[in-house]
Amino acid sequence: MILSPSTSELVNQALTAVAKRLHTDADKLNRLDAVSGDGDTGTAFTRAADAITRDLINKKLALDRPSSLFRRLGLIAESRMGGTCGASKSYVNLFIR
């Protein structure tokens, strides 16, 4: 499936908004994670958000091809987030390939 240019732009805007929000809420996510974990979830999500933002700027995300996009997002999560979050997201890649 290939998305239209207008839908691709909406995907771009959504990813940009999510990345900004993850930066805004990083400390809150770390505090929530600290209750039952090591307190680094916000930091991990911020690393992923940075990689997504870089890929958006450099036009490396196939915004018009959902399967390719989700595969790349899963790889970003796996490589940038580490820990349980990264490992969990890598399972997504098993189903999207």
Side-chain angles (χ1 to χ4, degrees), residues 10-61:
L10 290 174
V11 171
N12 181 32
Q13 291 172 13
L15 287 172
T16 300
V18 167
K20 287 179 183 179
R21 184 67 183 259
L22 288 171
H23 271 279
T24 300
D25 290 344
D27 290 337
K28 181 178 182 179
L29 291 168
N30 283 337
R31 284 192 306 274
L32 289 168
D33 182 42
V35 173
S36 63
D38 56 5
D40 70 342
T41 295
T43 302
F45 274 109
T46 298
R47 286 192 303 267
D50 289 342
I52 291 167
T53 300
R54 273 192 303 277
D55 277 8
L56 285 170
I57 291 168
N58 295 320
K59 309 274 189 224
K60 290 187 176 183
L61 294 177

